[in-house]
mmCIF file of all heavy atoms in Angstrom:
data_model
loop_
_atom_site.group_PDB
_atom_site.id
_atom_site.type_symbol
_atom_site.label_atom_id
_atom_site.label_comp_id
_atom_site.label_asym_id
_atom_site.label_seq_id
_atom_site.Cartn_x
_atom_site.Cartn_y
_atom_site.Cartn_z
ATOM 1 N N PRO A 1 -194.741 268.666 -35.063
ATOM 2 C CA PRO A 1 -194.669 268.607 -36.520
ATOM 3 C C PRO A 1 -196.087 268.385 -36.933
ATOM 4 O O PRO A 1 -196.851 267.605 -36.379
ATOM 5 C CB PRO A 1 -193.968 267.520 -37.026
ATOM 6 C CG PRO A 1 -193.695 266.664 -35.946
ATOM 7 C CD PRO A 1 -193.825 267.547 -34.692
ATOM 8 N N LEU A 2 -196.695 268.943 -38.064
ATOM 9 C CA LEU A 2 -198.016 268.706 -38.707
ATOM 10 C C LEU A 2 -197.896 268.077 -39.981
ATOM 11 O O LEU A 2 -197.100 268.561 -40.858
ATOM 12 C CB LEU A 2 -198.849 269.940 -38.663
ATOM 13 C CG LEU A 2 -199.694 270.238 -37.448
ATOM 14 C CD1 LEU A 2 -198.858 270.859 -36.275
ATOM 15 C CD2 LEU A 2 -200.851 271.156 -37.694
ATOM 16 N N CYS A 3 -198.669 267.077 -40.281
ATOM 17 C CA CYS A 3 -198.686 266.626 -41.670
ATOM 18 C C CYS A 3 -199.731 267.551 -42.543
ATOM 19 O O CYS A 3 -200.356 268.332 -41.934
ATOM 20 C CB CYS A 3 -199.223 265.123 -41.561
ATOM 21 S SG CYS A 3 -201.013 264.970 -41.033
ATOM 22 N N PRO A 4 -199.740 267.314 -43.814
ATOM 23 C CA PRO A 4 -200.588 268.073 -44.636
ATOM 24 C C PRO A 4 -202.037 267.907 -44.205
ATOM 25 O O PRO A 4 -202.453 266.864 -43.948
ATOM 26 C CB PRO A 4 -200.307 267.575 -46.017
ATOM 27 C CG PRO A 4 -199.027 266.928 -46.050
ATOM 28 C CD PRO A 4 -198.820 266.354 -44.651
ATOM 29 N N PRO A 5 -202.777 269.027 -44.054
ATOM 30 C CA PRO A 5 -204.087 268.955 -43.800
ATOM 31 C C PRO A 5 -204.955 268.295 -44.943
ATOM 32 O O PRO A 5 -204.642 268.426 -46.051
ATOM 33 C CB PRO A 5 -204.702 270.478 -43.514
ATOM 34 C CG PRO A 5 -203.744 271.201 -44.524
ATOM 35 C CD PRO A 5 -202.438 270.401 -44.292
ATOM 36 N N GLU A 6 -206.086 267.451 -44.629
ATOM 37 C CA GLU A 6 -206.727 266.739 -45.496
ATOM 38 C C GLU A 6 -208.190 266.938 -45.520
ATOM 39 O O GLU A 6 -208.741 267.442 -44.456
ATOM 40 C CB GLU A 6 -206.448 265.289 -45.585
ATOM 41 C CG GLU A 6 -205.199 264.848 -46.499
ATOM 42 C CD GLU A 6 -205.525 265.046 -47.959
ATOM 43 O OE1 GLU A 6 -206.661 265.232 -48.364
ATOM 44 O OE2 GLU A 6 -204.511 264.930 -48.671
ATOM 45 N N GLY A 7 -208.842 266.551 -46.548
ATOM 46 C CA GLY A 7 -210.422 266.529 -46.533
ATOM 47 C C GLY A 7 -210.828 265.244 -45.985
ATOM 48 O O GLY A 7 -210.246 264.254 -45.821
ATOM 49 N N ASP A 8 -212.250 265.336 -45.736
ATOM 50 C CA ASP A 8 -212.751 264.062 -45.135
ATOM 51 C C ASP A 8 -212.776 262.865 -46.076
ATOM 52 O O ASP A 8 -212.853 261.765 -45.606
ATOM 53 C CB ASP A 8 -214.219 264.380 -44.592
ATOM 54 C CG ASP A 8 -215.111 265.124 -45.555
ATOM 55 O OD1 ASP A 8 -214.633 265.379 -46.816
ATOM 56 O OD2 ASP A 8 -216.263 265.370 -45.276
ATOM 57 N N ALA A 9 -212.822 263.188 -47.306
ATOM 58 C CA ALA A 9 -212.735 262.164 -48.341
ATOM 59 C C ALA A 9 -211.410 261.231 -48.243
ATOM 60 O O ALA A 9 -211.497 260.037 -48.091
ATOM 61 C CB ALA A 9 -212.799 262.521 -49.729
ATOM 62 N N GLY A 10 -210.314 262.010 -48.054
ATOM 63 C CA GLY A 10 -209.045 261.392 -47.950
ATOM 64 C C GLY A 10 -208.890 260.650 -46.520
ATOM 65 O O GLY A 10 -208.413 259.553 -46.511
ATOM 66 N N THR A 11 -209.450 261.125 -45.601
ATOM 67 C CA THR A 11 -209.304 260.396 -44.297
ATOM 68 C C THR A 11 -210.162 259.231 -44.339
ATOM 69 O O THR A 11 -209.889 258.132 -43.529
ATOM 70 C CB THR A 11 -209.645 261.432 -42.945
ATOM 71 O OG1 THR A 11 -211.000 261.832 -43.231
ATOM 72 C CG2 THR A 11 -208.744 262.598 -43.034
ATOM 73 N N GLY A 12 -211.374 259.232 -44.985
ATOM 74 C CA GLY A 12 -212.118 258.108 -45.303
ATOM 75 C C GLY A 12 -211.512 256.914 -45.838
ATOM 76 O O GLY A 12 -211.514 255.843 -45.606
ATOM 77 N N MET A 13 -210.673 257.322 -46.970
ATOM 78 C CA MET A 13 -209.981 256.465 -47.680
ATOM 79 C C MET A 13 -208.855 255.743 -46.802
ATOM 80 O O MET A 13 -208.665 254.519 -46.775
ATOM 81 C CB MET A 13 -209.172 257.012 -48.904
ATOM 82 C CG MET A 13 -210.146 257.265 -50.076
ATOM 83 S SD MET A 13 -209.325 257.797 -51.546
ATOM 84 C CE MET A 13 -209.237 259.627 -51.168
ATOM 85 N N VAL A 14 -208.172 256.470 -45.837
ATOM 86 C CA VAL A 14 -207.207 256.005 -45.013
ATOM 87 C C VAL A 14 -207.793 255.121 -44.044
ATOM 88 O O VAL A 14 -207.459 254.088 -43.593
ATOM 89 C CB VAL A 14 -206.396 257.041 -44.493
ATOM 90 C CG1 VAL A 14 -205.420 256.636 -43.180
ATOM 91 C CG2 VAL A 14 -205.504 257.843 -45.466
ATOM 92 N N ALA A 15 -208.928 255.570 -43.400
ATOM 93 C CA ALA A 15 -209.571 254.823 -42.273
ATOM 94 C C ALA A 15 -210.151 253.431 -42.717
ATOM 95 O O ALA A 15 -210.396 252.641 -41.845
ATOM 96 C CB ALA A 15 -210.808 255.721 -41.638
ATOM 97 N N THR A 16 -210.347 253.254 -44.038
ATOM 98 C CA THR A 16 -210.874 252.074 -44.603
ATOM 99 C C THR A 16 -209.796 251.329 -45.463
ATOM 100 O O THR A 16 -210.070 250.232 -46.126
ATOM 101 C CB THR A 16 -212.122 252.267 -45.462
ATOM 102 O OG1 THR A 16 -211.758 253.284 -46.414
ATOM 103 C CG2 THR A 16 -213.303 252.887 -44.696
ATOM 104 N N ASN A 17 -208.604 251.837 -45.271
ATOM 105 C CA ASN A 17 -207.519 251.175 -46.126
ATOM 106 C C ASN A 17 -207.840 250.976 -47.480
ATOM 107 O O ASN A 17 -207.816 249.807 -48.095
ATOM 108 C CB ASN A 17 -207.148 249.731 -45.539
ATOM 109 C CG ASN A 17 -205.806 249.235 -46.137
ATOM 110 O OD1 ASN A 17 -205.042 249.885 -46.665
ATOM 111 N ND2 ASN A 17 -205.737 247.905 -46.001
ATOM 112 N N SER A 18 -208.335 252.074 -48.192
ATOM 113 C CA SER A 18 -208.830 251.948 -49.633
ATOM 114 C C SER A 18 -208.040 253.052 -50.400
ATOM 115 O O SER A 18 -208.632 253.835 -51.017
ATOM 116 C CB SER A 18 -210.267 252.062 -49.730
ATOM 117 O OG SER A 18 -210.820 253.181 -48.995
ATOM 118 N N VAL A 19 -206.683 252.959 -50.451
ATOM 119 C CA VAL A 19 -205.918 253.943 -51.301
ATOM 120 C C VAL A 19 -205.249 253.253 -52.495
ATOM 121 O O VAL A 19 -204.543 253.936 -53.320
ATOM 122 C CB VAL A 19 -204.890 254.682 -50.470
ATOM 123 C CG1 VAL A 19 -205.685 255.522 -49.398
ATOM 124 C CG2 VAL A 19 -203.896 253.885 -49.789
ATOM 125 N N ARG A 20 -205.281 251.946 -52.501
ATOM 126 C CA ARG A 20 -204.753 251.089 -53.663
ATOM 127 C C ARG A 20 -205.716 251.219 -54.854
ATOM 128 O O ARG A 20 -206.990 251.393 -54.658
ATOM 129 C CB ARG A 20 -204.534 249.755 -53.253
ATOM 130 C CG ARG A 20 -203.331 249.453 -52.348
ATOM 131 C CD ARG A 20 -202.820 247.981 -52.364
ATOM 132 N NE ARG A 20 -201.777 247.794 -51.360
ATOM 133 C CZ ARG A 20 -200.484 248.055 -51.696
ATOM 134 N NH1 ARG A 20 -200.091 248.487 -52.898
ATOM 135 N NH2 ARG A 20 -199.608 247.795 -50.815
ATOM 136 N N LYS A 21 -205.151 251.153 -55.931
ATOM 137 C CA LYS A 21 -205.975 251.034 -57.250
ATOM 138 C C LYS A 21 -207.000 249.880 -57.169
ATOM 139 O O LYS A 21 -206.627 248.789 -56.547
ATOM 140 C CB LYS A 21 -205.164 250.902 -58.416
ATOM 141 C CG LYS A 21 -204.294 252.240 -58.641
ATOM 142 C CD LYS A 21 -203.553 252.185 -59.881
ATOM 143 C CE LYS A 21 -202.518 253.211 -60.036
ATOM 144 N NZ LYS A 21 -203.117 254.573 -60.104
ATOM 145 N N ARG A 22 -208.214 249.993 -57.681
ATOM 146 C CA ARG A 22 -209.278 249.051 -57.702
ATOM 147 C C ARG A 22 -209.995 248.698 -56.409
ATOM 148 O O ARG A 22 -210.782 247.926 -56.295
ATOM 149 C CB ARG A 22 -208.735 247.577 -58.238
ATOM 150 C CG ARG A 22 -208.318 247.807 -59.770
ATOM 151 C CD ARG A 22 -207.711 246.374 -60.102
ATOM 152 N NE ARG A 22 -208.643 245.294 -60.073
ATOM 153 C CZ ARG A 22 -209.201 244.683 -61.225
ATOM 154 N NH1 ARG A 22 -208.933 245.205 -62.415
ATOM 155 N NH2 ARG A 22 -210.044 243.637 -60.979
ATOM 156 N N THR A 23 -209.565 249.707 -55.448
ATOM 157 C CA THR A 23 -210.358 249.648 -54.148
ATOM 158 C C THR A 23 -211.195 250.965 -54.091
ATOM 159 O O THR A 23 -211.049 251.864 -54.859
ATOM 160 C CB THR A 23 -209.429 249.462 -52.917
ATOM 161 O OG1 THR A 23 -208.651 250.811 -52.891
ATOM 162 C CG2 THR A 23 -208.539 248.367 -53.019
ATOM 163 N N GLY A 24 -212.131 250.852 -53.134
ATOM 164 C CA GLY A 24 -213.068 252.025 -52.908
ATOM 165 C C GLY A 24 -213.589 251.979 -51.607
ATOM 166 O O GLY A 24 -213.487 251.118 -50.856
ATOM 167 N N ASN A 25 -214.200 253.204 -51.252
ATOM 168 C CA ASN A 25 -214.823 253.219 -49.957
ATOM 169 C C ASN A 25 -216.188 254.010 -50.100
ATOM 170 O O ASN A 25 -216.158 254.934 -51.005
ATOM 171 C CB ASN A 25 -213.957 253.699 -48.887
ATOM 172 C CG ASN A 25 -213.773 255.271 -48.835
ATOM 173 O OD1 ASN A 25 -214.568 256.000 -48.286
ATOM 174 N ND2 ASN A 25 -212.936 255.726 -49.750
ATOM 175 N N VAL A 26 -217.043 253.814 -49.181
ATOM 176 C CA VAL A 26 -218.238 254.690 -49.058
ATOM 177 C C VAL A 26 -218.233 255.412 -47.732
ATOM 178 O O VAL A 26 -218.096 254.675 -46.644
ATOM 179 C CB VAL A 26 -219.578 253.824 -49.218
ATOM 180 C CG1 VAL A 26 -220.773 254.637 -48.994
ATOM 181 C CG2 VAL A 26 -219.630 253.324 -50.719
ATOM 182 N N SER A 27 -218.331 256.534 -47.662
ATOM 183 C CA SER A 27 -218.511 257.353 -46.424
ATOM 184 C C SER A 27 -219.797 257.900 -46.232
ATOM 185 O O SER A 27 -220.217 258.679 -47.169
ATOM 186 C CB SER A 27 -217.498 258.420 -46.363
ATOM 187 O OG SER A 27 -217.472 259.210 -45.168
#
């Protein structure tokens, strides 16, 4: 099975645990 393909912005958010509101990340 494959999950939905994503952009590097999305994987950056996941890799830094910044998908909650009021959080952010810099890639």
Side-chain angles (χ1 to χ4, degrees):
L2 271 79
C3 68
E6 268 297 349
D8 50 2
T11 59
M13 285 186 275
V14 171
T16 54
N17 191 20
S18 49
V19 299
R20 285 197 186 276
K21 295 183 188 298
R22 294 173 63 104
T23 65
N25 80 92
V26 173
S27 179

